[in-house]
């Protein structure tokens, strides 16, 4: 289900922090606190055929973040050596780490049925569960989905010390009423908002309070008791809320839904849903910078998206076809206006 843009009205310029009580405890394996960490890391995950998506994301990131002195950590299931080399030409400091089906099964345990989850989502959504382990190596980690367009400097996003995410509007709880009821004892004081998992920050204050096995374990409970919808996001939400983990709420501009107004002014635009920058002609028209980023990847010899385009018949990408489509729409709007008075007042048609 896609959320109407009206639900985002109250989220801009919002910030809130929850602090961990002194007596709170975390389950899972112990984490050593004496360590020497590297600088910050951007963490992404892709299947082997999505090198173009990551290449485009990195191309946009480096254009707008020239002062960033950090690494990329990329989880993948078999990215070719050639594409790894191409990506390193865009950003030399990349740590490629395997994240295969075998690794995923081992992390969850052999008795956990992942079938439904993998029908809905890429297995790469679970790679974000590796963030707590990465804190043994990096000062701070920032997870980014690759269906994003970086349009600005992300320097301000690193202000978190523990956990950070962009909240969903309160209406998101109603759409997840069943799972909220099932795990009501894990909602803490009820003050924690649900999250969009496209951008997640984790810092050193989380060490010892949240572990990678904790996240896999919570997701396994969700899969067994409620289903697979938003399982990666809900696993993090319930652990954070039940343990009162310190939380910074990210501004909407750092994870701006592409369907919400104001996207061109955001630092990160997130193509949530089936329409992506690479497969949707309306998005290609609205955000030409993504094509510019893709061109940088192609210039290195990388392949682009080879699948079907969406909505090309509704919003064509070429000027003459776009004009024809707009005139057709104008015609049908006129037809509807003439019919409207004879239709039931309960019938609502959105022809925008």
């Amino acid at each position: 289900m896609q959320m109407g843009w009206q639900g985002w009205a109250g989220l801009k310029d919002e910030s809130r922090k929850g602090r961990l009580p002194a007596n709170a405890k975390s389950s899972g394996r112990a984490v050593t606190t004496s360590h020497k960490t590297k600088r910050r890391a951007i963490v992404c995950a892709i299947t082997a055929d999505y090198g173009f998506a990551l290449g485009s994301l990195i191309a946009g990131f480096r254009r707008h973040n020239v002062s960033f002195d950090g690494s990329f950590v990329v989880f993948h299931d078999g990215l070719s050596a050639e594409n790894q080399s191409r990506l390193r030409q865009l950003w030399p400091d990349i740590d490629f780490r395997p994240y295969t089906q075998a690794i995923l099964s081992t992390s969850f345990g052999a008795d956990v049925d992942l079938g439904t989850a993998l029908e809905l989502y890429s297995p790469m959504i679970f790679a974000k569960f590796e963030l707590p382990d990465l804190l043994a190596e990096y000062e701070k980690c920032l997870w980014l989905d690759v269906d994003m367009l970086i349009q600005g400097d992300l320097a301000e996003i690193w202000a978190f010390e523990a956990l950070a995410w962009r909240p969903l509007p309160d209406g998101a709880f109603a759409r997840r009423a069943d799972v909220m009821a099932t795990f009501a004892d894990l909602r803490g004081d009820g003050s924690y908002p649900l999250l969009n998992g496209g951008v997640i920050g984790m810092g050193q204050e989380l060490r010892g309070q949240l572990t990678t096995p904790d996240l896999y374990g919570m997701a396994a409970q969700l899969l067994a008791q409620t289903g697979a919808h938003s399982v990666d996001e809900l696993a993090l939400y319930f652990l954070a809320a039940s343990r009162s983990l310190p939380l910074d709420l990210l501004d909407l501009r750092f994870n701006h839904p592409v369907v919400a107004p104001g996207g061109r002014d955001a630092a990160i635009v997130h193509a949530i849903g089936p329409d992506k920058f690479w497969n949707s002609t309306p998005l290609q028209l609205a955000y030409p910078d993504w094509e510019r980023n893709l061109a940088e990847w192609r210039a290195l010899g990388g392949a682009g998206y080879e699948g079907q385009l969406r909505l090309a018949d509704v919003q064509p990408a070429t000027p003459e076809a776009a004009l024809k489509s707009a005139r057709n729409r104008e015609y049908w709007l006129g037809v509807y206006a003439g019919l409207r008075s004879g239709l039931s007042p309960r019938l609502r048609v959105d022809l925008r």
Side-chain angles (χ1 to χ4, degrees), residues 22-257:
N23 61 352
K25 296 181 179 180
S26 169
S27 62
R29 63 190 177 196
V31 178
T32 304
T33 57
S34 61
H35 65 286
K36 183 178 180 180
T37 57
K38 303 178 193 176
R39 55 199 183 281
R40 299 165 177 175
I42 304 287
V43 184
C44 302
I46 57 169
T47 52
D49 54 339
Y50 272 71
F52 71 89
L54 180 58
S56 299
L57 182 140
I58 293 176
F61 177 85
R62 72 173 185 173
R63 184 179 307 118
H64 296 285
N65 294 268
V66 294
S67 62
F68 179 71
D69 180 23
S71 307
F72 271 78
V73 176
V74 176
F75 291 95
H76 67 95
D77 65 352
L79 192 64
S80 70
E82 293 80 8
N83 277 342
Q84 291 185 33
S85 177
R86 293 183 181 106
L87 289 166
R88 284 199 171 105
Q89 291 181 65
L90 291 171
W91 196 271
D93 189 357
I94 301 183
D95 180 7
F96 291 101
R97 303 194 178 195
Y99 194 77
T100 62
Q101 183 68 52
I103 292 172
L104 183 64
S105 298
T106 299
S107 298
F108 269 103
D111 59 334
V112 177
D113 183 4
L114 296 173
T116 303
L118 297 182
E119 288 176 2
L120 293 173
Y121 306 111
S122 163
M124 294 300 152
I125 68 165
F126 296 113
K128 62 173 62 74
F129 291 174
E130 302 295 321
L131 288 178
D133 273 0
L134 289 175
L135 293 176
E137 304 173 53
Y138 295 94
E139 173 194 352
K140 294 180 181 181
C141 294
L142 185 70
W143 170 274
L144 295 181
D145 283 355
V146 295
D147 57 348
M148 293 181 163
L149 175 64
I150 309 296
Q151 300 184 126
D153 191 346
L154 304 188
E156 293 181 23
I157 205 173
W158 296 97
F160 61 88
E161 299 299 332
L163 183 61
W165 69 55
R166 191 261 289 161
L168 296 181
D170 288 341
F173 283 109
R175 289 187 294 277
R176 297 162 176 80
D178 290 345
V179 68
M180 291 299 127
T182 301
F183 291 94
D185 58 324
L186 297 182
R187 294 191 60 190
D189 62 6
S191 66
Y192 280 66
L194 288 168
L195 66 141
N196 175 271
V199 181
I200 297 171
M202 291 192 186
Q204 289 299 308
E205 286 190 14
L206 274 187
R207 301 195 77 209
Q209 303 179 36
L210 179 69
T211 71
T212 288
D214 289 343
L215 289 164
Y216 284 110
M218 185 71 243
Q221 291 185 53
L222 287 161
L223 290 171
Q225 294 182 242
T226 62
H229 182 70
S230 302
V231 60
D232 57 322
E233 297 169 345
L234 289 171
L236 181 54
Y237 164 76
F238 283 122
L239 289 171
S242 63
R243 298 176 182 181
S244 298
L245 297 181
L247 174 64
D248 283 289
L249 298 188
L250 298 176
D251 187 89
L252 185 62
R253 65 195 170 99
F254 290 125
N255 184 355
H256 195 288

Side-chain angles (χ1 to χ4, degrees), residues 258-269:
V258 75
V259 296
R264 293 190 182 185
D265 298 323
I268 301 176
V269 184

